Structure formats: C-alpha cells, structure tokens
Amino acid sequence: MEAYYSDGRGRYGTGESYDYFWQYEDETMEICTSLDGLWTYIETDDGISLLRYNGNQTHIDIPAAVDGKKTVALECTFDGFYELKSVTVPEGIITLSGGFYGCEGLEIVSLPQSIRDLEHAFDCCYSLKNLVIPPHVKYFDYAFSGTRIETMEFPEGAEDISHSFIDSHLKSVFIPKSVTTLYEAFKGCEDLEHVVIEEGVRSIDDYAFYHCLSLQELMIPESVVQFGKRSVGYMEIREYLHPDKSAYRMKGEQIIPGFKIRGIPGSAAERYAKDNGIMFAEVTDK
C-alpha cells in the first residue's frame, strides 16, 4: 500500500500519524500516538477518542482500550481508508462521528449496544449493504449517505435522521414517532418505494422525500402538522449529459407523475396536497 500522504505521513506511514486534525486546532490539546503506533488519539473526560488508524490491516477489531485508556469515540478514524473490508466496534464506544467516512470498500460492520451517535459514520461507504442498528442510537445525520443499504427501521428513540440516506439505494424505511428532524433525509433516493411514518411524528422537513422517483404514494399520519419546502412529492427535471447519468443539468422541478398523498380529511397533509397540486386520497380509519 502507498502512504496516506505522498511524503509518507499518515495511515500507511512509519509508526506515527502527523495528519492535520482540523477539529483540534487548539495548541493546548495534546494529540497522542499509541505505544504500538497504530492509533492517534486524544484524551477526554470519559476516555479516549481515536482520531486515526495508522496501520494497514483491512479486517479490524477496534480495541476497547488503548494504552490502558477506555475507547469511547471514533472521530474520522478511518476516513478515506478505501481498502477497509470489515470492522468490529467494541462495547463502550458511544460516538462514531465520521468514523468510517469514505471507506468505499467496507462491507461488514458489527456495532455495540453502547452506540448513541452515528453522524457521518458511514457516509460514502458505497459497498455497505447490511447493518444491524443498536436500539439506543439517536443521531443519524448523514449516517448512511451513498450506502447500498435497502431496508432501514430506525429505532424507537431516534431523533435526528437528516441527510441519513441522501442519494442512496434505500427501498423501504420505518420512521418512529420519536424522530424530530428529517431535513433532506431521503433526498435523491430514487429506489425508495415503501415508507411508514409512525403516528406521533410532528413535521416533515425541507426536501425530506425530494426526488424519490419510485415513491408513488405516501401515508401521512394526522400527527404531522408541519411541512417544509418541497418536502414531499417533488422531483427534479434533469438533462443527463452522459449515458451512465454521472452528470446532469437541472432543467426545473415538477410533481412526481402519479404521486398521491394519503391522509385524514382536514389534516395538514390534505392542505399540503391541495396547496401543491398533489393528488390526495382520504383515509377515514385513524
């Protein structure tokens, strides 16, 4: 493998990581390298946060402790490690903030019950198809953008799922009543066909289901009282510049042909449908 940087620094270097950690520009913050040279980390009040893996193994069991200190978080630890294939995250780790961002070859992941935060965790993990989500995760902002996961049931207690599957291959999703933020959650999910929104969800934010071309109808519970801009039923009109659809020009917007909202008569869902010229089907059984 070649070095992470052209001058030999970083992940595939010679024992220490000299990467630039933008989130720790404070010169008083001590950035450490583990005794075995495999991990760059900082100490926190609760344990240590791993900032970089400096080895070259592609199947990794992340240590529950490094240099005798408990591991509690990953922060961009494997960022851009394209060759990584599988990883086991140990109990005790709470946050995976960008932990596997850009790991394009990652296929197998085991997560602990202790995880609470998956923000940006698997963003741009293009080979990831399956993942078991622990029951207490709350934060999913950009968690699975670009993955090949097709089915997702967010756990009860999930709160922020913004951008969670933007431009992904998702086909089916369950959204529990605990969710409070869905900004651009499924924008560009052209394969999304089946959506269940649990009674209790209060709002559907801007562009939540924008350009979901396969979504022909959406049942919206009466509890939804607020809709954001282009949140449901809209698509881009695109002029593709290459046969593989890798580039396009946006030519405008329109309602997805045949799209229908199902909901309770007199609800916010009915008002949104009428205001936007979307078909509405009444559901009388609450």
Side-chain angles (χ1 to χ4, degrees):
M1 296 182 182
E2 296 181 357
Y4 188 67
Y5 288 98
S6 59
D7 62 2
R9 295 178 296 161
R11 179 171 294 115
Y12 310 132
T14 56
E16 285 190 323
S17 172
Y18 297 96
D19 294 2
Y20 171 65
F21 300 101
W22 58 268
Q23 65 269 55
Y24 296 109
E25 293 181 339
D26 184 353
E27 294 182 358
T28 63
M29 179 67 69
E30 182 179 4
I31 298 178
C32 307
T33 300
S34 61
L35 295 175
D36 61 11
L38 289 177
W39 305 96
T40 300
Y41 64 88
I42 62 165
E43 294 190 45
T44 70
D45 292 339
D46 301 316
I48 62 170
S49 179
L50 301 181
L51 305 184
R52 187 71 79 236
Y53 170 64
N54 302 313
N56 57 15
Q57 297 299 310
T58 59
H59 302 276
I60 298 174
D61 290 334
I62 296 173
V66 174
D67 294 347
K69 304 159 189 172
K70 182 174 69 171
T71 307
V72 296
L74 306 183
E75 293 187 61
C76 304
T77 314
F78 298 91
D79 184 356
F81 188 1
Y82 304 136
E83 298 89 350
L84 184 64
K85 292 295 184 183
S86 69
V87 65
T88 298
V89 182
E91 283 295 337
I93 290 184
I94 299 169
T95 301
L96 297 184
S97 180
F100 302 97
Y101 179 87
C103 292
E104 297 182 3
L106 183 60
E107 298 175 349
I108 301 173
V109 178
S110 176
L111 295 176
Q113 298 295 298
S114 55
I115 288 291
R116 299 294 184 270
D117 185 349
L118 291 178
E119 291 186 20
H120 287 273
F122 302 101
D123 194 352
C124 297
C125 291
Y126 302 131
S127 300
L128 188 61
K129 297 180 180 179
N130 299 291
L131 188 66
V132 176
I133 305 299
H136 304 298
V137 182
K138 293 184 176 182
Y139 308 111
F140 292 88
D141 192 16
Y142 281 106
F144 315 111
S145 176
T147 66
R148 303 192 70 84
I149 295 171
E150 294 186 353
T151 302
M152 175 58 60
E153 183 170 334
F154 286 101
E156 294 289 348
E159 296 179 5
D160 186 354
I161 64 171
S162 299
H163 314 99
S164 54
F165 278 95
I166 191 169
D167 295 329
S168 299
H169 296 269
L170 190 68
K171 292 184 177 180
S172 176
V173 65
F174 170 77
I175 302 170
K177 60 187 176 184
S178 57
V179 169
T180 59
T181 309
L182 299 93
Y183 181 73
E184 294 187 354
F186 310 103
K187 182 180 179 182
C189 289
E190 296 187 1
D191 299 328
L192 184 60
E193 298 175 334
H194 182 66
V195 176
V196 175
I197 303 175
E198 189 175 30
E199 179 71 37
V201 172
R202 300 283 295 171
S203 65
I204 300 178
D205 300 308
D206 296 357
Y207 300 98
F209 295 96
Y210 186 76
H211 204 74
C212 294
L213 302 183
S214 300
L215 189 62
Q216 287 297 296
E217 69 173 39
L218 183 61
M219 172 62 196
I220 297 178
E222 192 175 14
S223 59
V224 174
V225 295
Q226 183 175 346
F227 290 81
K229 182 179 180 181
R230 304 287 193 270
S231 58
V232 173
Y234 279 86
M235 63 174 286
E236 288 182 345
I237 302 172
R238 298 177 175 179
E239 177 187 356
Y240 288 99
L241 305 179
H242 304 290
D244 62 0
K245 297 185 177 182
S246 59
Y248 64 87
R249 295 190 186 97
M250 182 177 173
K251 307 291 285 186
E253 297 176 302
Q254 67 177 46
I255 300 301
I256 296 173
F259 180 77
K260 179 192 304 179
I261 287 176
R262 299 175 65 237
I264 303 298
S267 65
E270 183 178 24
R271 292 191 296 274
Y272 175 87
K274 290 182 177 180
D275 289 346
N276 290 273
I278 296 173
M279 288 188 292
F280 182 78
E282 294 185 358
V283 177
T284 56
D285 182 8
K286 299 183 182 183

